[in-house]
Amino acid sequence: ASSTDGLFVVSGGDDGQCKLWDCTRLERDVSFRSRLTYASQGGRVTALVSLDDGGGDHAVASASDNGSVHAWRVEYVERGGPSGGSQRGESTSTDRDGRSSRRHRAPPSVERYTGAAEIATVSRGSGAVTAMIRTGVKTLCYSTARGGVRGWDLRSKNSEAFRVNWDSQLGTISALVAEHGGGSGTHENTSSPYTPCFDPRWLVAGTSRGCLALMDLRFGARVAEWRHPTRAPIDALVLATEPSAHGTDARAVVWCAAGRDEVASWDVAAGTCGRVLR
């Protein structure tokens, strides 16, 4: 997981620890090492997601094979200012059509990292967490080995934003990807891979048995399923858009990494495979 301002990246290991690496020190540090460790979760870390709110605070969500999801805040002291509170410059980017997009806050100048403060935790007792993405300002979506797909509102420990039941015959969910630009809370610039989609209407899950499942989060239901021709496990999913056949509205496609050195694009609306790259 990486912070949206490029300040740091976080890695997770089989020892249950999350390590923070300061990107601003990469070029000048001869002996590069992690600057912060979060070790309160246990198990093996299976997924990491940035929870940056765009206002200067930095937070991370980590998932484990012990079934837990932890949200924790990165605490640090800035040079010449309070922790995470000084005003920093912003830049505005434009897209290919010349329209201005969201402002990007410059990373802070960190003097030292002081700790990782736990914000919230959840554990449903439904087996290992196998995949996780961010779906809102304070909402995460994660899948478990036995409990299907769940949405977690971080503002309430026991609040489920949504839940989609799962058929174990489809395999264990190994990857998730959500719609871009789904709801009213979506950022203006959804073309950036670092910009989360807020309040998506649907998501696609890939499984260990080569299944792609389309889910409608508004009704908490699976609405379509497709199979990889060789039933190879789905390793990763990325959402993109392509021009429609009539040259009007763009259509959503999911690029799927599966099989031996293979990447394929699937049309979400039609449920068909468009291209295969080997």
Side-chain angles (χ1 to χ4, degrees):
S2 60
S3 63
T4 54
D5 58 9
L7 175 62
F8 61 79
V9 296
V10 178
S11 61
D14 290 347
D15 58 357
Q17 296 187 357
C18 299
K19 298 279 189 180
L20 181 145
W21 309 84
D22 191 335
C23 297
T24 62
R25 300 173 184 262
L26 284 173
E27 294 184 357
R28 65 175 183 267
D29 279 13
V30 177
S31 179
F32 190 66
R33 58 184 178 85
S34 63
R35 297 293 167 177
L36 189 66
T37 299
Y38 180 77
S40 301
Q41 190 157 11
R44 180 175 63 89
V45 178
T46 56
L48 291 163
V49 173
S50 172
L51 296 176
D52 292 0
D53 61 4
D57 290 334
H58 295 82
V60 177
S62 53
S64 170
D65 65 357
N66 65 11
S68 67
V69 178
H70 286 206
W72 42 280
R73 182 173 57 254
V74 177
E75 297 184 335
Y76 53 84
V77 174
E78 293 188 50
R79 292 186 177 89
S83 173
S86 62
Q87 297 294 321
R88 301 190 294 275
E90 294 181 339
S91 61
T92 302
S93 60
T94 57
D95 59 21
R96 289 178 296 180
D97 298 326
R99 295 173 298 185
S100 62
S101 58
R102 67 175 298 198
R103 293 183 175 182
H104 300 276
R105 183 179 294 269
S109 178
V110 176
E111 181 177 341
R112 67 181 185 277
Y113 291 89
T114 58
E118 186 177 286
I119 300 173
T121 65
V122 66
S123 181
R124 302 294 183 184
S126 300
V129 178
T130 58
M132 180 172 62
I133 57 175
R134 185 181 181 186
T135 56
V137 179
K138 297 292 183 180
T139 308
L140 289 170
C141 172
Y142 65 95
S143 61
T144 59
R146 300 191 304 271
V149 176
R150 302 170 185 263
W152 176 33
D153 190 331
L154 276 67
R155 292 164 291 192
S156 175
K157 179 178 180 180
N158 297 315
S159 175
E160 279 192 346
F162 54 83
R163 182 176 181 180
V164 182
N165 292 327
W166 189 251
D167 184 353
S168 60
Q169 294 184 354
L170 300 177
T172 302
I173 296 175
S174 54
L176 294 168
V177 67
E179 173 196 25
H180 285 174
S184 59
T186 306
H187 289 310
E188 294 179 21
N189 176 21
T190 57
S191 62
S192 170
Y194 303 105
T195 303
C197 170
F198 290 165
D199 302 325
R201 295 167 295 184
W202 53 263
L203 63 80
V204 174
T207 78
S208 60
R209 295 182 180 176
C211 177
L212 292 172
L214 175 64
M215 306 180 198
D216 192 322
L217 299 182
R218 297 167 297 180
F219 303 101
R222 300 195 313 273
V223 296
E225 296 160 6
W226 321 298
R227 287 280 188 180
H228 189 277
T230 64
R231 295 180 180 262
I234 307 299
D235 297 317
L237 297 174
V238 174
L239 190 66
T241 56
E242 292 184 355
S244 64
H246 303 288
T248 55
D249 295 335
R251 55 192 175 92
V253 297
V254 171
W255 282 93
C256 164
R260 296 184 176 180
D261 301 325
E262 176 186 300
V263 179
S265 68
W266 290 76
D267 189 313
V268 175
T272 56
C273 182
R275 283 185 288 176
V276 177
L277 306 178
R278 293 188 175 93

